[in-house]
Amino acid sequence: MKRFDLQTLGVTLFASLLVWMAAASVGLLVGSTGTIGAPTADQMSIRLHTHVLPASMIGAALAMAGVTYQAILRNPLADPYLLGASGGAMLASYVWRLQGVASIAVIGAISPHAFALAGSLLAITIVLLGAGWRGRLDPVTAILVGVVINSLCGALFMLLNAIYRDLPGSGGILTFLVGDIQTTASSAHVAASAWMIGIGGVLLMLMTPYLNVVRLSEDEARSLGVSVQRVRWGGLLVASFVTAAAVAISGPIGFIGLICPHIARWFIGNDNRKLLPVAAALGAGLLTLADVLARYLLGSPHVATLIPVGVITACIGGPFLLLILARIKQ
Amino acid sequence: MGQRLCVLLNIFLTLLILGCDKPAQTPATTQAVDARAVRVVSLTPAGTNLLVAMGMKDQIVGVSAYEADIQLRDKLPKVGDYQRIDWEQLSAIKPTHLIVQGLRDRLPAGIEERCAAMNIQVVILQIDRLKDIYAAITQLGAALHADDAAKKTVTDLQARLTPRTNPAASNASFTALVLIGDEGKLVVGTDNYINDVLELSGAKNAVAAPGYLMLDVEKGRSLAPDVVFILAPRTNPQTDPKLDNAANRRNNVDAKSILIASDKWPAIKTDRVYAMTDADALLPGANVANVYDFFVRHLKQIPPQDNPPPGSGP
């Protein structure tokens, strides 16, 4: 493995930061009703705190989770959304809102995130159990089980909503099902997510050398002194942790974790030490741009309400998934 | 290298969190305002309806994307709905009050938090029954410093909603089924403001269960309404714009699924199915007086000799 020095890290981070800043700048120029122009101080503050920073944070989290899932599962199709982790987290954080459940959970601002983490881990466990066979994990079967988990979580969500009607979500049933940048989440919840994503990001960055080793065969990894199982479980836990943090305040925004690692790979190759920060920056940038597009479209007379960003990422991610599947076939 | 990496990422994280945690504007103390100085954003069509009835139309400076008053919806900025708020527009409009509807504990926590930071008073209306509409008017009057207008609106509304309890003058023995929406499956049960208005108009609800219920063909056959009212407003901006034309709307009330299967109902046999397609037909606001008039007008059309014997309903 090539030596990865501080200079390389600095250049990688700087380039990633530039990518994100370019997207963020566009995000600051587009108003909530599709207007384009230099913002006033008030507008700048609102766009930054309500759209650009949350979108960046959520996008980065999902992309980092995608890089990790793809590495540890050796599956190019792995993504928090397609693996069902987002769906599990979404359902669990909705369950937290049930009357009675919220009062039992006394951990304060962390509660929905703790529920989301449990949901995310449960979903991933089911996928691993469902798609694993004699220690091997078939990539397509894993995605298939993930899709089943997602459908099941969506159905259970609708069932709960039919019984309890409009729980205090942070964005309405539709936006919580397809994922959106929530503009009415409490600052405590957003801050809790930011901390979790930050801590998770640092942990994942520290794990990247091991993620590189996990790509090798189990014997090769062992010869390098790396326990593949330990890295896999650690990676799963931390990736689910950041996924849960993002989903708890946004709902399951799909495909960011799939698209961004692949785009990053086209530019910088497979070294996870570079891939993770670049994919995170791309995730932050892409979700910010998706949010910008949603706001821009609101300026059209044909669009009555803000389109959830989850709809936009799905429109981009669906064809992208088909493209990857076609390449796998070849 | 690992430590330096941690430091770098921690700096980025701290900046991010400071950014996310910071309120968009500095909090300010609540100022005393009179009714003329209030600037209201109503994110609930019922709230807008009540404000208009209170003579405060000019004080409304923003509405929801789902506003039923088409004139206001076209004229004023659309600031979101009860779950999603366009904070940028809200900040530009600088309202003094934000009207939302629902239970306080169902409201996303960020709404009150951010409004407090922007010095906007949140008024939460909770309307289930007719008495809640009166209470909401009083609540709005108190919040918007318009107590006199609120009292007058309540008095006027109560005067219009006179109970028709005299069996000779009304058709109290008639059972009425109220379908809502244009799918023809959702019906009005008891314990809600529409049922309250229906009872005031002198009819008896054909459905005894509380709330709003889905009616399928099987359940429908067990009922025998003498009259069917359809409240099917066509106000959703996502529906066909052609339906904004009143004549088209009346022709497009397609609440037929249950009606077609219910040809044994007295209401169908005698062709007593009446539709109200006004934009505000389903709003729990001052417009309930129009709904009441609609019920009464059609109940009055039924000749007294058509009154079925008491107890003929289910």
Side-chain angles (χ1 to χ4, degrees), chain A residues 136-152:
Chain A
R136 293 184 63 191
L137 193 72
D138 178 52
V140 178
T141 313
I143 298 304
L144 199 64
V145 180
V147 169
V148 171
I149 297 289
N150 262 337
S151 306
L152 189 66

Side-chain angles (χ1 to χ4, degrees), chain A residues 32 47 49 175 183 187 306, chain B residues 4 19 84 86-88 110 113:
Chain A
S32 62
R47 287 175 199 175
H49 297 118
T175 58
T183 57
S187 59
L306 193 69
Chain B
R4 286 180 187 176
R84 288 161 63 150
D86 183 342
W87 296 104
E88 193 176 320
E113 187 186 290

Side-chain angles (χ1 to χ4, degrees), chain B:
Chain B
M1 188 192 81
Q3 281 179 338
R4 286 180 187 176
L5 177 68
C6 284
V7 170
L8 270 174
L9 286 172
N10 267 319
I11 290 169
F12 175 70
L13 172 69
T14 310
L15 286 172
L16 196 67
I17 288 164
L18 284 175
C20 288
D21 218 7
K22 199 170 85 174
Q25 295 197 354
T26 47
T29 51
T30 308
Q31 295 167 350
V33 283
D34 65 31
R36 284 163 305 174
V38 296
R39 295 168 57 78
V40 188
V41 165
S42 172
L43 293 184
T44 159
T48 311
N49 186 282
L50 291 175
L51 289 171
V52 171
M54 289 166 68
M56 299 188 76
K57 192 171 186 173
D58 293 341
Q59 275 78 32
I60 304 172
V61 292
V63 292
S64 134
Y66 299 99
E67 178 54 54
D69 187 322
I70 294 168
Q71 212 184 4
L72 285 178
R73 195 176 74 209
D74 290 345
K75 193 177 94 179
L76 296 175
K78 291 179 274 293
V79 191
D81 51 54
Y82 82 107
Q83 292 278 11
R84 288 161 63 150
I85 290 177
D86 183 342
W87 296 104
E88 193 176 320
Q89 284 214 75
L90 203 63
S91 162
I93 293 170
K94 298 196 188 312
T96 52
H97 294 78
L98 180 76
I99 315 288
V100 292
Q101 192 181 341
L103 295 170
R104 181 175 289 272
D105 66 351
R106 299 281 166 102
L107 207 65
I111 292 183
E112 287 195 88
E113 187 186 290
R114 275 174 178 253
C115 283
M118 294 168 86
N119 199 24
I120 300 169
Q121 186 185 339
V122 181
V123 181
I124 305 170
L125 307 178
Q126 193 193 331
I127 305 173
D128 294 317
R129 306 292 299 262
L130 184 59
K131 63 180 169 55
D132 298 332
I133 294 176
Y134 300 133
I137 296 170
T138 308
Q139 186 187 354
L140 284 173
L144 305 178
H145 313 278
D147 291 311
D148 292 342
K151 272 181 201 157
K152 186 177 178 309
T153 309
V154 170
T155 311
D156 290 351
L157 193 57
Q158 283 172 332
R160 283 188 68 185
L161 297 173
T162 317
R164 297 178 74 240
T165 49
N166 179 359
S170 70
N171 292 303
S173 52
F174 267 65
T175 56
L177 183 72
V178 185
L179 289 166
I180 55 177
D182 51 11
E183 286 185 6
K185 287 177 183 169
L186 197 61
V187 296
V188 174
T190 59
D191 299 347
N192 58 63
Y193 73 95
I194 299 177
N195 180 68
D196 292 339
V197 172
L198 183 70
E199 286 181 352
L200 282 179
S201 69
K204 186 184 162 197
N205 196 338
V207 180
Y212 302 93
L213 306 105
M214 292 298 282
L215 192 65
D216 57 23
V217 175
E218 196 178 325
K219 276 187 206 158
R221 284 192 190 281
S222 67
L223 303 173
D226 302 304
V227 56
V228 172
F229 294 117
I230 303 169
L231 304 178
R234 292 286 191 156
T235 58
N236 191 324
Q238 286 159 332
T239 55
D240 190 340
K242 281 183 293 187
L243 296 176
D244 279 347
N245 175 292
N248 281 342
R249 273 186 279 141
R250 277 182 181 79
N251 291 335
N252 276 281
V253 173
D254 48 5
K256 289 170 187 151
S257 56
I258 190 69
L259 301 181
I260 288 168
S262 308
D263 52 358
K264 289 191 173 61
W265 286 356
I268 303 294
K269 283 181 184 170
T270 53
D271 200 22
R272 285 183 192 134
V273 179
Y274 307 104
M276 185 180 189
T277 55
D278 297 0
D280 55 7
L282 278 178
L283 293 185
N287 58 294
V288 289
N290 298 335
V291 177
Y292 169 83
D293 290 344
F294 164 73
F295 288 158
V296 169
R297 189 170 65 246
H298 292 295
L299 287 168
K300 270 183 178 173
Q301 283 174 8
I302 301 168
Q305 64 268 27
D306 278 11
N307 272 348
S312 65

Side-chain angles (χ1 to χ4, degrees), chain A residues 135-211:
Chain A
R136 293 184 63 191
L137 193 72
D138 178 52
V140 178
T141 313
I143 298 304
L144 199 64
V145 180
V147 169
V148 171
I149 297 289
N150 262 337
S151 306
L152 189 66
C153 289
L156 289 173
F157 181 95
M158 295 298 287
L159 178 70
L160 282 176
N161 191 67
I163 296 169
Y164 295 99
R165 295 296 297 173
D166 298 330
L167 289 174
S170 45
I173 178 159
L174 180 68
T175 58
F176 210 67
L177 260 181
V178 295
D180 196 16
I181 307 300
Q182 309 293 351
T183 57
T184 52
S186 77
S187 59
H189 285 166
V190 177
S193 284
W195 275 109
M196 284 173 71
I197 291 166
I199 293 166
V202 171
L203 290 174
L204 288 178
M205 196 65 208
L206 294 174
M207 285 176 72
T208 49
Y210 303 103
L211 293 180

